């Protein structure tokens, strides 16, 4: 009876080792996409489980010891591949050799050599199998061979084994068989769920791009229709000059708007940098501020520029301009009653920092969190594409952007870029 209790304890201990193995595998390894480190990890964890299982074994029948070492061996081999299998095979036999070079050792050499050959044959099939059912079937084949080999061994030594011993051994290996199937199912399920999740993320991205494309055609059609209408009106001969002037101005505005939308969309869909060059921050910002200054004056916004010379970053000129213009435009639009737009350039170690601060309406937490998502706009004529483009340009320029904002006080956009030396 004592022996039985002891066996149950050992059985549970072995069970906890293999669960630990599964847990570690599931938690850490699967996330690691690099093949080599995955192999090393699977090999180490499975090897450790094998040694733990073999250290705590059912009380031996003569020199034969029974435990769950087959589980980490089979699972490790199926998920780690042939190299891991060879490593586990050597680990197992070396450890068994260390325990004692008795009959049991020779039995292990025979059993695990056969099992290793069988696994070598099964591994590529297991890797290729797509359906979970198929994988479980292959794992079942491996596990059955393991059991059959052990049963043959038990049969050969049964004359001097007690019935209780036989029962606990059979229970141990029976449980092991089902655990192997259970683990493969669990691991595969988890994999599938992760794959579905990745797929969903990709679909979500595609959806955004196609939604934007759809809205672009819609958004561009509007200004075109309006412009067309004005041009038609202009054809009539007896319109006063001031009206004519207004039609032309409105048409041009609408065309500009269409162009802006198209550029923004193209930059978002294809934000990669093509003509990367050294950009001197002072010059570039001065240029951008010159471009937006009429717009600022129109909105009674004063521009303050505090610069630092000779700071170079890498990027594409046009896109960098577009990014800064979008930010400056937003800042100006945030100050409908006028205010101050302050632009600072600073150096902090090997980083260049650009701060674009306005004294405008500011944003709430909720607005801040939606900033940069397509179509998010609070403006009547807004596109909700500007900040999205800003974010994507800064990302490809290896920069970082952060926003600080307080409702009623203003907003500060901070851009950080790595400095490149001007050699
Ligand atoms: P749009 O300017 O066409 O509305 P953006 O993507 O450029 O689209 O901006 C999205 C929204 O973010 C704006 O509608 C505005 O509500 C908010 N926003 C952006 N910049 C600022 C700012 N400096 N101050 C306050 N709100 C801002
Ligand atoms: Mg904008």
């Amino acid at each position: 009876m004592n022996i039985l209790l002891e066996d149950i304890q050992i059985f549970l201990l072995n069970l906890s080792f293999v669960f630990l193995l599964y847990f570690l595998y599931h938690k850490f390894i699967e996330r690691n996409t690099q093949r080599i480190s995955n192999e090393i990890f699977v090999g180490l964890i499975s090897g450790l489980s094998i040694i733990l299982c073999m250290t705590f074994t059912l009380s031996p029948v003569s020199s034969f010891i029974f435990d769950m070492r087959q589980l980490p061996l089979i699972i490790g081999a199926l998920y780690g591949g042939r190299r891991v299998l060879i490593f586990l095979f050597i680990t197992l036999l070396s450890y068994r050799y260390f325990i004692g070079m008795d009959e049991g050792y020779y039995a292990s050499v025979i059993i695990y050599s056969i099992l290793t050959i069988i696994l070598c044959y099964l591994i590529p099939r297991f890797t290729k199998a797509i359906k979970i059912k198929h994988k479980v079937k292959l794992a079942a084949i491996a596990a059955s061979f393991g059991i059959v080999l052990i049963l043959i061994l038990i049969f050969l030594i049964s004359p001097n084994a007690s019935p209780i011993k036989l029962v606990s051994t059979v229970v141990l290996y029976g449980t092991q068989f089902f655990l192997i199937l259970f683990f493969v199912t669990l691991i595969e399920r988890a994999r599938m769920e992760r794959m579905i999740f990745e797929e969903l993320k990709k679909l979500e991205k595609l959806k955004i791009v196609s939604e934007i494309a759809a809205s672009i055609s819609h958004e561009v059609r509007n200004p075109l229709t309006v412009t067309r209408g004005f041009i038609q009106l202009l054809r009539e001969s007896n319109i006063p000059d001031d009206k004519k002037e207004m039609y032309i101005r409105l048409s041009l505005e609408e065309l500009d708007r269409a162009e802006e939308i198209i550029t923004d969309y193209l930059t978002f869909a294809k934000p990669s940098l093509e003509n990367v060059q050294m950009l001197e921050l002072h010059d570039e910002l001065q240029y951008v501020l010159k471009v937006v200054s009429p717009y600022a004056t129109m909105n009674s916004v004063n521009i303050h520029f505090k610069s630092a010379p000779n700071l170079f970053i890498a990027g594409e000129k046009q896109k960098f301009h577009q990014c800064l213009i979008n930010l400056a435009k937003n800042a100006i639009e945030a100050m409908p009653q006028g205010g101050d737009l302050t632009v600072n350039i600073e150096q902090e170690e090997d980083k260049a920092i650009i701060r674009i601060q306005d004294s405008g309406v500011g944003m709430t937490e909720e607005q801040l969190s939606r900033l940069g998502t397509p179509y998010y706009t609070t403006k009547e004529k807004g596109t909700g594409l500007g900040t999205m483009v800003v974010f994507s340009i800064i990302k490809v320029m290896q920069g970082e952007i952060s926003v600080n904002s307080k409702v009623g006080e203003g907003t500060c956009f901070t851009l950080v870029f790595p400095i490149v030396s001007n050699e």
Side-chain angles (χ1 to χ4, degrees):
M1 211 51 208
N2 251 351
I3 290 187
L4 187 64
L5 264 182
E6 217 172 80
D7 277 1
I8 290 175
Q9 273 178 11
I10 292 300
F11 173 77
L12 291 177
L13 199 57
N14 269 240
L15 211 61
S16 62
F17 293 147
V18 293
F19 263 100
L20 186 70
L21 156 85
Y22 167 72
F23 176 75
L24 285 176
Y25 183 84
H26 187 54
K27 258 285 175 267
F28 302 108
I29 306 167
E30 275 270 86
R31 248 150 253 192
N32 202 329
T33 41
Q34 277 172 329
R35 226 183 111 232
I36 292 295
S37 53
N38 193 34
E39 269 180 23
I40 294 173
F41 230 81
V42 173
L44 287 182
I45 287 188
S46 310
L48 186 70
S49 305
I50 288 177
I51 289 175
L52 284 173
C53 284
M54 286 170 73
T55 308
F56 301 92
T57 60
L58 298 190
S59 49
V61 179
S62 64
S63 67
F64 300 97
I65 50 178
F66 299 104
D67 52 60
M68 274 202 200
R69 71 185 92 157
Q70 281 186 9
L71 194 149
L73 177 74
I74 292 176
I75 295 282
L78 289 180
Y79 283 99
R82 282 184 180 157
R83 264 180 292 193
V84 171
L85 172 63
I86 301 303
F87 168 75
L88 295 178
F89 174 69
I90 293 170
T91 310
L92 193 152
L93 287 187
S94 316
Y95 193 61
R96 187 62 188 83
Y97 180 81
F98 166 78
I99 292 172
M101 223 181 87
D102 40 32
E103 291 167 279
Y105 170 71
Y106 293 111
S108 286
V109 172
I110 297 171
I111 290 178
Y112 292 104
S113 300
I114 298 176
L115 194 56
T116 299
I117 294 169
I118 293 166
L119 279 169
C120 264
Y121 172 80
L122 291 177
I123 286 171
R125 281 158 188 77
F126 184 83
T127 318
K128 259 191 254 154
I130 296 166
K131 284 196 179 142
I132 295 187
K133 245 194 213 160
H134 197 182
K135 290 211 178 203
V136 172
K137 219 193 277 169
L138 290 168
I141 293 175
S144 325
F145 270 105
I147 290 186
V148 169
L149 290 168
I150 293 286
L151 285 180
I152 293 173
L153 177 73
I154 293 175
F155 179 73
L156 290 178
I157 58 165
S158 63
N160 37 13
S162 69
I164 289 185
K165 210 58 247 174
L166 284 181
V167 169
S168 54
T169 320
V170 168
V171 169
L172 177 87
Y173 285 99
T175 316
Q176 178 185 273
F177 176 82
F178 286 107
L179 274 181
I180 290 176
L181 304 194
F182 177 65
F183 278 15
V184 170
T185 317
L186 274 188
I187 292 175
E188 290 306 322
R189 280 253 170 100
R191 264 192 186 178
M192 208 163 71
E193 266 164 31
R194 194 146 40 231
M195 248 163 58
I196 291 175
F197 180 69
E198 292 298 319
E199 206 56 30
L200 267 181
K201 269 205 310 209
K202 249 190 254 158
L203 275 181
E204 185 61 33
K205 230 190 207 160
L206 264 181
K207 207 180 102 200
I208 292 179
V209 172
S210 67
E211 263 177 12
I212 292 178
S215 85
I216 292 300
S217 57
H218 174 80
E219 299 256 356
V220 171
R221 205 168 285 143
N222 271 347
L224 289 185
T225 328
V226 174
T227 312
R228 190 174 185 283
F230 285 134
I231 291 176
Q232 238 165 7
L233 285 176
L234 283 174
R235 245 204 332 223
E236 282 159 30
S237 47
N238 51 351
I239 15 174
D241 268 359
D242 58 332
K243 271 249 166 97
K244 228 188 225 170
E245 188 55 40
M246 189 183 78
Y247 292 160
I248 291 176
R249 185 171 50 81
L250 289 175
S251 302
L252 287 177
E253 266 175 25
E254 289 298 318
L255 287 179
D256 283 347
R257 189 175 144 73
E259 200 208 318
E260 189 187 326
I261 292 167
I262 291 172
T263 344
D264 277 353
Y265 175 66
L266 289 182
T267 320
F268 172 70
K270 196 164 160 265
S272 65
L273 301 176
E274 268 141 25
N275 310 307
V276 177
Q277 59 195 103
M278 303 264 292
L279 305 174
E280 211 272 329
L281 283 183
H282 173 82
D283 289 350
E284 303 309 328
L285 273 147
Q286 192 146 50
Y287 170 80
V288 167
L289 291 178
K290 213 164 72 193
V291 171
V292 297
S293 74
Y295 195 51
T297 316
M298 203 172 87
N299 289 280
S300 16
V301 169
N302 298 314
I303 296 180
H304 311 273
F305 184 34
K306 236 170 66 195
S307 174
N310 288 322
L311 288 179
F312 291 88
I313 64 169
E316 197 181 319
K317 211 183 192 110
Q318 257 73 38
K319 288 192 174 148
F320 187 54
H321 286 173
Q322 191 188 352
C323 163
L324 293 171
I325 289 174
N326 281 349
L327 287 174
K329 222 172 127 260
N330 278 345
I332 294 168
E333 285 161 3
M335 302 180 276
Q337 325 291 356
D340 296 293
L341 170 62
T342 314
V343 178
N344 274 348
I345 308 176
E346 274 167 42
Q347 178 176 6
E348 226 168 71
E349 285 165 25
D350 56 346
K351 305 275 186 203
I353 300 173
I354 304 169
R355 289 206 177 82
I356 300 171
Q357 165 101 49
D358 65 57
S359 57
V361 290
M363 282 176 274
T364 61
E365 285 284 325
E366 200 256 330
Q367 286 176 319
L368 268 177
S369 69
R370 294 185 59 189
L371 198 63
T373 53
Y375 308 128
Y376 168 65
T377 178
T378 53
K379 298 165 196 167
E380 202 180 319
K381 279 203 156 186
T383 60
L385 295 177
T387 24
M388 181 181 75
V389 166
V390 169
F391 284 15
S392 73
I393 293 177
I394 290 176
K395 196 165 154 208
V396 293
M397 284 177 70
Q398 331 263 305
E400 288 158 32
I401 180 165
S402 55
V403 194
N404 267 313
S405 189
K406 255 199 177 148
V407 177
E409 287 183 20
T411 307
C412 181
F413 282 83
T414 309
L415 320 184
V416 181
F417 294 101
I419 291 179
V420 288
S421 68
N422 63 348
E423 277 115 47

